[in-house]
């Protein structure tokens, strides 16, 4: 690691951290965003998120990761439980287990989808930053379910655009505390980094537009199983939105979930699962849909609630 300390130049005043530092340092915005998300960017001694604004003259400190050697592959490390749902010349669709990141990033030393695919002999697109090759969207480490990775350059370009233009249908199931009222609706609340805790996100008036549609599938005594369709794809969006409604995902202690209920249901992470992913196939435009069953820990929690009802 090497650190740089300098005042923010006048020409970057008012720019977002990721855009301004990318211009200043000659790095990609995704690389700067990853560095910021890891807490390695500070302005006047306070951690700065990727969407924070730069102020001319503010004292900037940034810790840069060691540069990757050109073309250095992600280490191929087998990931138990990582299942391939579908594979063709353009895409590979996987069922991601808990405790697995989408790709390597500063500060993460655990298993990754990209490393697991490499270990399984799956070649992915070389587009994007070296450590994120083929990754067109992400699931949190503690979130399970269906995820698509691009294998061809064409697929990477098409899918990246599809996620950006919101033509991908992303369906999740979540077990949330209590009973949302109304039982079906839309949460339209902007999200940005938490003003006090850099590792979290929050509903913030000046944040990025974020829209979550939900419908209650089943109501239990202490919680509700909800189906969710994301219109936008912000980091931690579902977790933040339901926490803001005072119905956090069961087991999501970082966002205010009840630890007693989590322990009773055996949940060591948030009850959140990427159930369905549908999109136009990048090869021929046909609509394809993939689904994932609940993993054992989520199903066990549901079974306990059902027995109590």
């Amino acid at each position: 690691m090497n650190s740089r300390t300098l005042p923010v130049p006048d020409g970057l005043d008012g720019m977002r951290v990721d855009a301004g530092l990318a211009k200043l340092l000659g790095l990609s915005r995704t690389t700067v965003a990853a560095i910021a998300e890891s807490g390695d960017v500070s302005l006047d001694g306070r951690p700065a998120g990727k969407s924070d604004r730069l102020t001319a003259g503010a004292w900037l400190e940034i810790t840069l990761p060691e540069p990757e050697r050109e073309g250095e592959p992600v280490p191929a490390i087998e990931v138990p439980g990582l299942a391939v749902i579908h594979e063709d010349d353009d895409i590979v669709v996987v069922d991601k287990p808990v405790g697995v990141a989408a790709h390597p990033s500063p500060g993460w030393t655990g298993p990754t989808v990209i490393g697991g695919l490499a270990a399984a002999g799956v070649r992915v697109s070389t587009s994007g930053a070296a450590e994120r090759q083929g990754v067109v969207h992400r699931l949190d480490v503690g979130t399970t379910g269906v995820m698509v990775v691009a294998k061809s350059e064409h697929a990477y370009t098409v899918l990246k655009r599809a996620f950006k233009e919101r033509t991908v249908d992303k369906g999740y199931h979540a077990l949330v505390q209590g009973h949302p009222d109304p039982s079906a609706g839309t949460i339209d609340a902007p999200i940005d980094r938490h003003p006090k805790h850099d590792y979290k996100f929050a509903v913030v008036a000046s944040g990025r537009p974020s829209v979550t549609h939900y419908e209650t599938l089943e109501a239990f005594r202490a919680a509700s199983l909800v189906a969710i369709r994301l219109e936008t794809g912000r980091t931690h969006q579902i977790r933040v939105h339901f926490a803001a409604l005072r119905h956090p995902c069961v087991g999501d202690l970082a966002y205010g979930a009840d630890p007693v209920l989590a322990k009773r249901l055996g949940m060591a992470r948030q009850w959140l699962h990427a159930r369905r992913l549908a999109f136009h196939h990048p090869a021929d435009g046909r609509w394809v849909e993939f689904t994932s069953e609940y993993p054992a820990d989520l199903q066990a929690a549901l079974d306990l609630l059902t027995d109590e009802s």
Side-chain angles (χ1 to χ4, degrees):
M1 293 281 184
N2 62 90
S3 297
R4 300 272 296 276
T5 305
L6 68 161
V8 174
D10 291 345
L12 302 184
D13 187 53
M15 290 185 70
R16 281 173 53 116
V17 164
D18 52 3
L21 296 191
K23 185 176 180 181
L24 178 68
L25 302 168
L27 300 171
S28 70
R29 281 182 69 163
T30 53
T31 299
V32 175
I35 294 170
E37 285 174 355
S38 300
D40 289 326
V41 176
S42 67
L43 291 170
D44 288 335
R46 298 191 342 191
K50 64 182 180 182
S51 58
D52 289 349
R53 299 289 171 174
L54 295 169
T55 304
W59 203 246
L60 167 70
E61 294 179 66
I62 179 168
T63 302
L64 301 171
E66 294 299 329
E68 298 247 358
R69 292 193 300 274
E70 187 67 30
E72 182 178 1
V74 172
I77 301 173
E78 186 177 344
V79 177
L82 181 69
V84 173
I85 298 173
H86 169 86
E87 183 183 1
D88 57 39
D89 290 342
D90 291 283
I91 61 173
V92 57
V93 181
V94 301
D95 199 345
K96 187 186 88 64
V98 67
V100 179
H103 55 73
S105 62
W108 176 254
T109 57
T112 67
V113 170
I114 297 304
L117 288 175
V122 177
R123 179 192 61 77
V124 300
S125 162
T126 55
S127 292
E131 72 279 4
R132 301 188 185 197
Q133 292 178 355
V135 174
V136 292
H137 72 125
R138 296 180 293 177
L139 297 178
D140 294 343
V141 170
T143 300
T144 48
V146 63
M147 180 178 159
V148 63
V149 177
K151 289 181 62 179
S152 69
E153 303 304 308
H154 173 70
Y156 182 88
T157 301
V158 172
L159 288 174
K160 260 299 191 190
R161 186 186 312 126
F163 276 95
K164 185 176 182 180
E165 295 177 353
R166 305 177 188 174
T167 61
V168 178
D169 193 357
K170 299 172 286 187
Y172 292 75
H173 282 186
L175 186 67
V176 302
Q177 291 182 192
H179 307 106
D181 184 17
S183 59
T186 296
I187 308 168
D188 186 348
I191 290 175
D192 209 335
R193 196 165 288 278
H194 196 287
K196 295 181 180 177
H197 305 289
D198 195 50
Y199 65 94
K200 295 202 305 186
F201 291 78
V203 169
V204 179
S206 60
R208 301 172 72 191
S210 308
V211 180
T212 302
H213 306 284
Y214 72 92
E215 177 185 359
T216 300
L217 298 177
E218 192 167 359
F220 302 99
R221 191 177 302 166
S224 301
L225 180 65
V226 295
I228 295 161
R229 185 171 63 79
L230 288 185
E231 195 169 306
T232 52
R234 310 301 177 210
T235 303
H236 297 183
Q237 179 171 322
I238 294 170
R239 300 165 64 189
V240 169
H241 271 172
F242 279 91
L245 289 186
R246 302 188 187 279
H247 297 290
C249 294
V250 169
D252 195 358
L253 304 188
Y255 284 101
D258 177 7
V260 176
L261 179 61
K263 186 175 181 180
R264 182 161 65 81
L265 296 180
M267 290 306 302
R269 50 109 166 188
Q270 66 267 15
W271 202 115
L272 179 60
H273 186 65
R275 182 88 169 97
R276 180 176 48 81
L277 189 65
F279 50 89
H280 294 286
H281 195 289
D284 54 15
R286 74 185 186 280
W287 188 250
V288 291
E289 182 172 318
F290 304 97
T291 57
S292 165
E293 299 302 317
Y294 300 149
D297 62 334
L298 302 191
Q299 187 61 56
L302 272 187
D303 291 344
L304 277 171
L305 287 173
T306 302
D307 290 345
E308 292 174 358
S309 298

